[in-house]
Amino acid sequence: MMQKKNLAALVAAMFALPVVAHADVTIYGFMSGGIESTKATGSGGSEYSSRTRIVDHNSRIGFKGFEDIGGGTKAIWQVENSLRNFEQGGTNDKGQTASFATRNTFIGIDNNDFGRVVLGQHDSAYKMFAGSGNSALGTDLMVNTTADNFGSSSVNSRGEARLPNSVHYFSPSWAGFKLGASWGADENRVSGNDSKRLSLGLGYTWQGLNLAAAWDRQYDMAVTPNSNSYNTSSSNSPAVLSLNSGKNVTFYSIAASYKFDTGTFVGGNYEWGTFDQVGGGQLKQDDWLIALGQDFGAASVKLSYGQLGTLKNTSAGVNGDDFKAKQWILGGTYNLSKTTQLLAYYTKISNNAKAKANFANNPVYDSINADPSKNALTAGNDPQAFGVGFKIAF
């Protein structure tokens, strides 16, 4: 729950910018964390042995505001900052440190009839409609926790992303329908490539029913032969990235959910991707999930199963089934108040021999390097976690 406060003077001091006296400013966010038992074992050789760890559940703090400029139009802005890994000083297991404006941060215009246009860094239309950014759809049952299963390295919704250097349009609701579009510019242009990203979303809401469809394409991007791993280099090597020229990675997604008056929730997602290979040819892979939930007053019990399918069109001698993965999630929440929630979950990812699906939040790495950015999960190992915690919103 967000609480509006008069923070004009505070924001002026923080950002060294003039603040209009009648501007509306809001501070919002949540802190969420817990304790869990985690491991990743399997056929991959090295393992992430069973251990207890303290985890953050994607905590954040944000500032946003608007100024009414007349005619039903507002100038809007937002600065949202990650508080992830607050339990270990803000640095994750890959040595990455949370910094200012790491989440959705933008300026823009919002009109009652036309809709909203923003520029800066923002979740793609694909994520906002068919992915974890659509809270009304709600098929990412334990979103923000370790049991979150939506993300580019996870089992489901692998096409969703937050786009830097981007422009977005989101329509108002027209008889229950909404539209969205995103364009992420490639400002680096390594080797002359233009790895821009386009994303489209369509949604419909009627009472307890939510429907969504989305499309996303990353241009001048390819995968290495007979794999679903992008052909990239940590050093942005021109020789490596030049092989991506003229190729694309494209995702499509459809999703639906319904919340009955009895508190029963049912939903599901289906996604498929096409991956141009370095050297020619195109691979395909789909994923799907079903999600169920039931409210009991202030409590809710949740169950989902998701599966990443066979990698299709691989060369002779390469088994596409080796890239399959699946994930079970059993979770529950209990609302102590409007702003404080208890939560618990159990989740397990089962990876086939060449699959490396990991937790969307708090991933585990059994391959540890002197350079933490190269830490990885060994293909074929199966991450699992049981955790309890609580969340306080403000």
Side-chain angles (χ1 to χ4, degrees):
M1 179 179 180
M2 297 181 294
Q3 181 180 4
K4 292 185 177 180
K5 299 180 179 179
N6 182 12
L7 295 178
L10 173 60
V11 175
M14 291 177 62
F15 303 111
L17 292 173
V19 177
V20 179
H22 61 273
D24 186 291
V25 182
T26 300
I27 182 173
Y28 67 96
F30 65 81
M31 296 286 288
S32 182
I35 184 171
E36 67 180 30
S37 175
T38 314
K39 63 180 180 179
T41 58
S43 60
S46 61
E47 296 183 341
Y48 185 91
S49 60
S50 179
R51 68 198 67 181
T52 300
R53 61 179 188 169
I54 307 300
V55 292
D56 160 63
H57 292 144
N58 216 5
S59 301
R60 72 210 48 181
I61 185 170
F63 306 89
K64 64 180 181 179
F66 70 87
E67 182 183 2
D68 191 338
I69 56 179
T73 302
K74 298 176 182 177
I76 58 175
W77 62 270
Q78 177 174 295
V79 181
E80 190 169 289
N81 316 288
S82 175
L83 297 177
R84 291 186 65 173
N85 304 111
F86 70 84
E87 81 287 2
Q88 53 189 36
T91 301
N92 67 16
D93 293 339
K94 280 203 168 188
Q96 300 165 327
T97 301
S99 58
F100 205 68
T102 47
R103 296 184 56 82
N104 289 350
T105 300
F106 55 82
I107 58 172
I109 295 292
D110 191 357
N111 179 270
N112 293 338
D113 298 320
F114 174 75
R116 172 177 293 201
V117 177
V118 300
L119 61 89
Q121 175 167 266
H122 199 283
D123 291 339
S124 69
Y126 189 98
K127 180 177 180 179
M128 293 294 291
F129 281 82
S132 62
N134 189 343
S135 58
L137 180 66
T139 49
D140 189 359
L141 293 181
M142 298 302 294
V143 64
N144 296 315
T145 71
T146 302
D148 188 335
N149 60 326
F150 280 35
S152 59
S153 298
S154 301
V155 173
N156 299 114
S157 197
R158 294 165 68 88
E160 67 175 60
R162 178 171 296 125
L163 305 182
N165 305 312
S166 55
V167 179
H168 308 257
Y169 166 72
F170 299 104
S171 78
S173 178
W174 297 312
F177 288 93
K178 289 186 178 181
L179 301 171
S182 304
W183 170 50
D186 179 11
E187 298 185 358
N188 294 324
R189 298 292 187 96
V190 178
S191 298
N193 287 353
D194 182 11
S195 191
K196 61 180 177 287
R197 194 158 184 168
L198 298 181
S199 186
L200 302 174
L202 171 66
Y204 175 73
T205 300
W206 179 74
Q207 296 183 359
L209 176 67
N210 286 278
L211 304 175
W215 172 90
D216 182 276
R217 173 169 290 173
Q218 190 169 358
Y219 293 83
D220 283 351
M221 180 56 67
V223 296
T224 55
N226 297 306
S227 83
N228 54 9
S229 299
Y230 287 14
N231 181 55
T232 59
S233 169
S234 59
S235 61
N236 284 331
S237 166
V240 171
L241 298 185
S242 64
L243 300 174
N244 296 338
S245 181
K247 299 175 174 60
N248 304 314
V249 172
T250 307
F251 285 95
Y252 311 80
S253 183
I254 54 175
S257 68
Y258 191 82
K259 185 71 173 285
F260 293 87
D261 292 340
T262 58
T264 303
F265 172 88
V266 294
N269 287 60
Y270 180 72
E271 177 185 59
W272 64 102
T274 61
F275 311 90
D276 291 344
Q277 297 181 94
V278 169
Q282 185 182 80
L283 302 175
K284 298 181 179 181
Q285 190 174 32
D286 64 1
D287 63 81
W288 57 269
L289 73 85
I290 53 174
L292 304 172
Q294 179 64 55
D295 294 339
F296 300 95
S300 181
V301 178
K302 308 176 183 186
L303 174 68
S304 76
Y305 173 78
Q307 183 168 298
L308 180 63
T310 300
L311 187 64
K312 299 177 181 178
N313 301 335
T314 55
S315 300
V318 178
N319 187 352
D321 286 346
D322 286 343
F323 295 87
K324 295 176 67 174
K326 60 186 178 182
Q327 183 173 10
W328 284 97
I329 299 171
L330 175 63
T333 60
Y334 183 82
N335 297 325
L336 296 173
S337 70
K338 292 183 178 180
T339 59
T340 302
Q341 181 184 77
L342 298 178
L343 57 92
Y345 53 84
Y346 171 76
T347 183
K348 181 177 180 180
I349 299 173
S350 298
N351 284 310
N352 284 12
K354 294 184 179 180
K356 296 184 285 187
N358 211 332
F359 303 133
N361 296 298
N362 306 313
V364 295
Y365 309 112
D366 55 75
S367 177
I368 306 300
N369 296 269
D371 178 358
S373 67
K374 297 181 180 179
N375 291 348
L377 175 70
T378 301
N381 281 351
D382 302 333
Q384 56 185 299
F386 167 73
V388 294
F390 69 103
K391 174 182 177 181
I392 303 173
F394 53 87

